[in-house]
Amino acid sequence: MTLTLTPQAPMDPPSFTTDPDGFEVPAFNTQSPHAGKVQSGTQAGSDTPTRYVKVAGVDRPVLAAGLHIPVGAPIPVASEQRGQATEYVVSGLGQADDPALLNRRYMVVGVPAKSFATARRLDVIQL
């Protein structure tokens, strides 16, 4: 895991701020960054249907097990509602990583559990 991921936890109760363009956006509590990995790809084109989540009126495909974080990292909050789920921002890259990943944001929509896990593989959508 060579990427640096910065988790952003939802505020409780949910809070919103206004961005420079005048749009309301969710406010988050930034947490300590940790190592991680993005494994993109969806089930599109396979025999099983791709799962979609609607964000701001747009259907976005879920990247099943698309974000890997260490097992010891705090368990993120999952939700299909923006501002109520943990979001991860790619804040650092290793030498072998694709520079196009820098500053990408992923929202957690599922946290599958496993009995013998070496990493948490989160279901996410890219924002």
Side-chain angles (χ1 to χ4, degrees), residues 5-10 31 34 67-79 84-88 106-112 119-124:
L5 300 172
T6 302
Q8 297 188 337
Q31 299 177 326
H34 51 74
L67 196 66
H68 300 193
I69 62 172
V71 172
I75 298 173
V77 177
S79 176
Q84 296 179 9
T86 300
E87 294 184 12
Y88 285 87
Y106 298 90
M107 184 175 92
V108 179
V109 295
V111 184
R120 289 197 195 283
R121 290 163 178 84
L122 310 173
D123 296 341
V124 297

Side-chain angles (χ1 to χ4, degrees), residues 34-53:
H34 51 74
K37 175 180 158 184
V38 175
Q39 183 157 344
S40 65
T42 62
Q43 296 174 345
S46 67
D47 292 338
T48 56
T50 299
R51 181 175 153 212
Y52 289 90
V53 172

Side-chain angles (χ1 to χ4, degrees), residues 23-107:
F23 294 103
E24 279 193 347
V25 293
F28 294 94
N29 291 319
T30 301
Q31 299 177 326
S32 299
H34 51 74
K37 175 180 158 184
V38 175
Q39 183 157 344
S40 65
T42 62
Q43 296 174 345
S46 67
D47 292 338
T48 56
T50 299
R51 181 175 153 212
Y52 289 90
V53 172
K54 190 174 290 262
V55 176
V58 177
D59 287 328
R60 298 190 182 260
V62 173
L63 303 175
L67 196 66
H68 300 193
I69 62 172
V71 172
I75 298 173
V77 177
S79 176
E80 293 187 3
Q81 182 69 37
R82 183 105 199 263
Q84 296 179 9
T86 300
E87 294 184 12
Y88 285 87
V89 178
V90 178
S91 56
L93 302 171
Q95 289 182 329
D97 294 319
D98 184 354
L101 290 172
L102 192 60
N103 296 321
R104 291 214 180 167
R105 180 177 286 271
Y106 298 90
M107 184 175 92

